Amino acid sequence: MTQTNPIVSAEWLFQHLDDPQIAIADCRFSLADPELGQQQYLHNHIPGAHYLHLNRDLSSPVQRHGGRHPLPDPEVFAQKLGAIGVTSPDVLLVVYDDSRFAFAARLWWLLRYLGHDRVAILEGGFKGWQAGGYPLTDAIPRPSEGIFIPQIRRDRVVDIETVKTRSPLPEVALIDSRERDRYLGNHEPIDPIAGHIPGALNYPWQEVTDENARVRPLQDQVQRWADIAGSDEIIVYCGSGVTACVNLLSLEMAGIPNAKLYAGSWSDWCSYQVED
C-alpha cells in the first residue's frame, strides 16, 4: 500500500476496510455537547473505527494558561495511538468527523507532530460515508496491543512568547483561522475577550472545504495562500488550536509544509490579558 494523499475518498476507504495496514479513528465531537460525538459513535460508525474524544484524548487537561485544548501528553497519547492500531510506520490512519474536518484535522496534525506522516482525512466525513450507502456498525473493535513510538517534531509548534517575539517581524505571517466576526471582535461566544492577536491575518478555516466537507480544488488552496506563500515563517492559530489544523492541512496541500501551530491560540493569548 502506497497511499500518501492527505485526503481519501469514501470509495477508497471502503475498498481498504480489510487492509491490516489501515487504522480508522472517529473524531466526531460537539463543543456545545462534549459527549454527543461518542454517543453517535456508539450508535453507529465506520467498521473498524475507534473513537477519540477531543477533550479526553486529543487534548490534555485545561490549566490556568495554555488554552482550552492543550496538546496531549505525547507518551499518554502514544499509548492511545498504539491501542487503535497505529503500531508501525507503515500503518495509515484514516480519520473522520462530521464537522468539515474541524476535529479530524486536529488528529491529522497531531500524528504528523509526533512523527507519523501516514495519516489521511476522509473526504465528506461521516455524513458523506453514510450518504454513499457504505456499511455502518455499532461493534466496538478490540484494542491493539501494539506500540507507537513518538518522534516529536518540536519545530511544528510555538508558544505565546514565540508569537510575541516573531509575529511583528515582516517576514513572518500570523494567521487567525476563526470566522470573520470573531476575528473582528464583533462576536465571541467562547473566550472572555473578543478580538485577535495584533498583526494577524484572517483566513477562516471553513474556506478549506465546501458545505459537504469536500476539499476545494488544489488550485484554490494554492491561490488562497498566494499572498503569504513567500513568508519565511507562518504561524497559525484559532480559538484553542483545533480548527487551525484545517488551515495547516490547506497549507500542506498548497505546497507550504512548514507552517507552525500556536497550540494555545486565542484562548491562551487572552488568558494573560484577563490577568492584566
Side-chain angles (χ1 to χ4, degrees):
M1 185 183 65
T2 59
Q3 202 284 335
T4 57
N5 194 313
I7 305 296
V8 298
S9 69
E11 180 181 6
W12 186 94
L13 180 57
F14 174 67
Q15 293 172 350
H16 291 81
L17 281 180
D18 296 326
D19 190 325
Q21 296 292 70
I22 294 284
I24 307 172
D26 184 320
C27 300
R28 283 178 286 174
F29 188 80
S30 168
L31 292 172
D33 183 356
E35 301 311 313
L36 178 62
Q38 188 162 18
Q39 293 169 4
Q40 292 172 326
Y41 168 81
L42 292 173
H43 176 66
N44 60 22
H45 51 264
I46 295 175
H50 296 260
Y51 184 75
L52 290 177
H53 191 283
L54 174 64
N55 292 347
R56 292 191 287 269
D57 300 315
L58 307 185
S59 308
S60 59
V62 176
Q63 306 293 328
R64 184 176 184 181
H65 299 298
R68 286 181 280 108
H69 293 105
L71 297 183
D73 178 275
E75 296 303 324
V76 173
F77 189 54
Q79 293 178 5
K80 295 178 180 180
L81 291 174
I84 68 170
V86 187
T87 56
S88 81
D90 296 326
V91 171
L92 172 68
L93 178 64
V94 177
V95 303
Y96 68 88
D97 60 24
D98 60 359
S99 304
R100 296 177 64 176
F101 301 0
F103 309 110
R106 165 77 165 209
L107 180 53
W108 172 86
W109 183 87
L110 281 171
L111 264 290
R112 296 171 61 79
Y113 170 63
L114 295 181
H116 190 91
D117 290 333
R118 293 188 59 72
V119 55
I121 299 177
L122 178 65
E123 186 161 37
F126 181 79
K127 293 176 183 176
W129 177 273
Q130 191 174 38
Y134 295 105
L136 296 169
T137 184
D138 62 359
I140 309 300
R142 290 184 177 183
S144 170
E145 296 182 358
I147 297 174
F148 178 88
I149 301 174
Q151 299 180 30
I152 303 173
R153 294 163 170 164
R154 300 192 186 279
D155 61 344
R156 300 286 181 96
V157 65
V158 300
D159 60 13
I160 189 171
E161 294 305 322
T162 302
V163 174
K164 287 179 178 178
T165 302
R166 300 290 297 165
S167 63
L169 302 177
E171 66 270 22
V172 177
L174 180 63
I175 304 301
D176 186 314
S177 304
R178 298 170 300 164
E179 56 267 32
R180 188 72 176 170
D181 273 357
R182 289 185 70 191
Y183 167 79
L184 293 174
N186 297 332
H187 173 65
E188 181 46 65
I190 304 175
D191 293 308
I193 297 176
H196 61 265
I197 299 173
L201 306 171
N202 187 216
Y203 286 74
W205 66 272
Q206 296 93 336
E207 296 174 351
V208 177
T209 63
D210 65 20
E211 61 276 7
N212 295 315
R214 297 194 175 276
V215 178
R216 298 193 186 278
L218 179 59
Q219 60 267 29
D220 290 1
Q221 308 291 344
V222 173
Q223 182 59 38
R224 185 167 181 255
W225 302 108
D227 289 345
I228 65 161
S231 301
D232 290 345
E233 184 176 10
I234 298 173
I235 299 171
V236 186
Y237 76 91
C238 56
S240 64
V242 177
T243 55
C245 296
V246 184
N247 267 340
L248 290 166
L249 171 71
S250 176
L251 284 158
E252 179 87 12
M253 296 178 66
I256 308 172
N258 296 318
K260 303 174 182 180
L261 175 67
Y262 171 25
S265 287
W266 178 249
S267 56
D268 177 54
W269 183 274
C270 69
S271 73
Y272 291 91
Q273 297 184 53
V274 170
E275 292 184 345
D276 293 342

